[in-house]
Amino acid sequence: MSIGTGVVLFVIGAILTFAINIQVEWADLDLIGYILMGAGVVVFIVGLVLMARRRRSETVTRTIAPAAGEQVTRKSTRADDPGAY
């Protein structure tokens, strides 16, 4: 979702900066457009990093049966080697 949000922010910023030639007294639309484009790039990069981080995690579930006959389930998460991809 953050990748799409980044793209939307960038597009809105580009429209404000390059496509709209309206001058308003209370705001500089070019500056607002550049700020939105910068924010869009940052959100897009953060989304890519989080998606890549999510792909490298692996959840292992093990069921252990102690001597008393109870079943205990343990979950552990480990990150794969970044060089494996």
Side-chain angles (χ1 to χ4, degrees):
M1 183 167 149
S2 61
I3 293 174
T5 304
V7 171
V8 168
L9 284 175
F10 189 84
V11 168
I12 291 172
I15 290 170
L16 285 176
T17 302
F18 303 117
I20 296 180
N21 293 326
I22 299 173
Q23 297 295 327
V24 293
E25 297 176 11
W26 49 271
D28 183 8
L29 293 181
D30 289 340
L31 179 63
I32 293 172
Y34 284 123
I35 291 171
L36 286 175
M37 285 192 294
V41 168
V42 168
V43 169
F44 183 80
I45 291 172
V46 167
L48 286 178
V49 168
L50 289 177
M51 185 175 21
R53 186 174 173 216
R54 241 183 275 146
R55 285 186 179 180
R56 287 192 212 131
S57 65
E58 176 182 310
T59 303
V60 178
T61 304
R62 295 188 178 130
T63 303
I64 302 170
E70 299 177 5
Q71 288 189 350
V72 178
T73 302
R74 294 183 185 177
K75 290 185 180 183
S76 63
T77 303
R78 68 176 182 85
D80 290 340
D81 184 19
Y85 294 100

